[in-house]
Amino acid sequence: MKIKVLDITHTFQSNIVEKFDAISNVKFNINENEYIGIIGPTGSGKTTLIEHLNGLLIPTKGSVEFDYSITKYNKKTKSEKVINKTKVIKKSWKKIKNINEIRRLVGIVFQFSEYQLFEETVEKDIIFGPINMGISKEEALKIAKESIVKVGLDVSFLNKNPFELSGGQKRRVAIAGILSMKPKILIFDEPTAGLDPEGSYEILKLFDQLSQEGTTIIIVTHDLDHVLEHTKRTIFIRKGKIIKDGPTLDILSDEKLLIENKMSIPKIINLTNRINRKYQMNIPYCTNVDQFTKIINKIRKEKK
C-alpha cells in the first residue's frame, strides 16, 4: 500500500474570527515496507498529520491518495481475485465511500491506546474489529489467537480481563486488536509513553518484527534514541511544515538542526561528537550501542 500526501493543509477554527493551521502545505509519499519516524517539537502538528493518513481528519486543502489492493473471494468459482484500487480523500467529498476499507488497511495506535480497551475479556476486545468488518465469529476467534501470539502474549491471555493486565500487556492487547484487522500500514503515536525500559524494548522489538514481515511502520515520538535505532527514514515537522525528510541517520546527526529546534540529541550521536572533539578523532556515526562498541574496539586494536 502506498500513500501520497498532496499539499495538505488542516485549519482548525475555534470561533468565527480565529483560525489556526495545524499543518500547512504538507507533501510527501509513503512507500511499501518503509520504517519511518515522525519527529518535531511539541505542538508541531505531528498527531494532526497522522490523523489524515486513514481519514480520521479530512484536509482543509489538498488531498491524500491511497493506492492499494484487496483480495476478493468468489464463492461460486472458489477462487481469489486481486483488485487494485485508488482512493482520494479531499475536502470537496461530502461522503467518502468505503472509508472503513482505508481504516482497516491503515491502523493508528494512539498514545496510551490501552485506555481504548473496553470489553470484559481480551478475546472480545480483539474480535470486536473483525466482526464489525463482517468477518464470521469463528474466523475472528482464529484471528484473535494469531494476533495475541504475534504481540508476544500466550493464548491464555485471551480469557483474561484486560483491566487486570500490566501497562505493557495492555499496550500489546491494543496492538493485537489493530493487527486483527490485517493492516498494511501501522502508525504508532508515542508508542513507549508510560512504559518501563523493558516494556519499551519489547514493543520496539515487535515493531521491528512487523517491519521485517512487510508491514509499513510509522512511529511518532519525542524519543530520538528510538527513532535513530529503529527507523530508516525520518520526517521532521516544525510549525505544521516539513523542514526535513530523509535518511534517519543524516537528520539525527545534524546537531545544529536539533539544537535550534530544542530537540534532544540522541545519546550515541552526542557521545560520538564529544569523543571526536576532545580527542581529535573521526569516529563515524552509528545507530545503536552494538555498532558503536564494534567501532571503538576496532580502533583500540588498530592502536595496539
Side-chain angles (χ1 to χ4, degrees):
M1 183 176 195
K2 298 179 181 179
I3 301 177
K4 295 178 183 177
V5 178
L6 304 170
D7 293 310
I8 67 170
T9 294
H10 194 92
T11 304
F12 288 108
Q13 186 165 327
S14 57
N15 55 48
I16 296 175
V17 179
E18 293 182 9
K19 292 183 178 181
F20 170 68
D21 288 346
I23 55 174
S24 179
N25 301 115
V26 173
K27 182 179 181 180
F28 66 98
N29 293 341
I30 297 172
N31 299 308
E32 292 182 353
N33 197 208
E34 286 202 276
Y35 201 150
I36 301 172
I38 297 180
I39 66 171
T42 300
S44 58
K46 302 184 296 295
T47 300
T48 300
L49 174 60
I50 63 172
E51 288 179 346
H52 285 80
L53 300 181
N54 77 342
L56 286 176
L57 286 179
I58 307 300
T60 306
K61 297 178 183 177
S63 62
V64 183
E65 182 177 299
F66 302 85
D67 293 318
Y68 60 100
S69 60
I70 60 170
T71 302
K72 292 277 189 179
Y73 180 73
N74 190 315
K75 292 182 179 180
K76 291 183 178 180
T77 61
K78 295 182 180 181
S79 61
E80 293 183 343
K81 181 180 180 182
V82 176
I83 302 172
N84 296 319
K85 290 190 171 187
T86 296
K87 190 176 294 296
V88 178
I89 295 179
K90 55 185 176 180
K91 180 69 174 179
S92 60
W93 289 31
K94 293 182 179 179
K95 185 176 181 180
I96 302 165
K97 292 179 65 177
N98 301 323
I99 187 63
N100 286 338
E101 200 167 77
I102 294 295
R103 290 175 182 164
R104 179 178 69 81
L105 294 171
V106 184
I108 299 181
V109 182
F110 288 101
Q111 186 177 2
F112 300 117
S113 57
E114 56 269 28
Y115 294 155
Q116 297 168 224
L117 302 176
F118 58 90
E119 292 283 5
E120 60 187 17
T121 68
V122 168
E123 183 177 76
K124 287 183 178 180
D125 250 310
I126 295 175
I127 68 174
F128 179 83
I131 288 178
N132 276 278
M133 286 165 42
I135 292 174
S136 68
K137 186 174 181 179
E138 182 181 5
E139 182 64 20
L141 291 171
K142 180 182 176 183
I143 292 171
K145 290 180 181 179
E146 294 172 352
S147 299
I148 200 72
V149 170
K150 183 164 281 189
V151 299
L153 297 176
D154 188 83
V155 291
S156 62
F157 275 83
L158 291 172
N159 296 319
K160 294 180 181 290
N161 186 320
F163 304 106
E164 296 176 353
L165 305 179
S166 69
Q169 289 169 341
K170 288 179 182 177
R171 189 83 44 99
R172 287 168 180 266
V173 169
I175 294 172
I178 299 292
L179 290 179
S180 69
M181 311 241 267
K182 301 188 181 298
K184 299 290 185 182
I185 298 175
L186 277 169
I187 304 170
F188 300 92
D189 192 2
E190 296 293 353
T192 59
L195 297 181
D196 59 25
E198 183 178 358
S200 297
Y201 171 80
E202 292 297 330
I203 287 293
L204 291 166
K205 182 180 176 182
L206 170 62
F207 297 171
D208 290 345
Q209 177 189 332
L210 293 170
S211 176
Q212 290 168 8
E213 292 172 358
T215 304
T216 294
I217 303 292
I218 301 172
I219 59 172
V220 179
T221 181
H222 287 95
D223 194 320
L224 301 192
D225 292 299
H226 291 162
V227 175
L228 178 65
E229 183 169 0
H230 296 275
T231 73
K232 303 299 181 185
R233 173 187 170 195
T234 291
I235 298 172
F236 197 135
I237 301 176
R238 181 180 65 194
K239 295 181 180 179
K241 295 180 179 289
I242 293 179
I243 60 171
K244 283 280 186 178
D245 180 355
T248 292
L249 186 58
D250 291 352
I251 291 176
L252 297 191
S253 61
D254 189 337
E255 191 176 48
K256 182 181 178 183
L257 174 70
L258 297 179
I259 291 173
E260 285 177 348
N261 288 278
K262 299 180 180 179
M263 303 284 286
S264 298
I265 299 168
K267 295 181 182 66
I268 291 292
I269 300 295
N270 190 38
L271 179 60
T272 302
N273 287 338
R274 290 173 65 184
I275 292 174
N276 285 342
R277 287 168 186 155
K278 184 173 182 177
Y279 298 103
Q280 304 294 302
M281 298 177 71
N282 192 28
I283 298 173
Y285 290 123
C286 52
T287 62
N288 58 59
V289 173
D290 288 342
Q291 290 179 8
F292 184 80
T293 302
K294 288 178 182 178
I295 291 171
I296 294 298
N297 286 336
K298 182 179 179 182
I299 292 172
R300 290 178 62 189
K301 287 180 181 179
E302 290 173 349
K303 287 191 173 183
K304 285 183 179 180

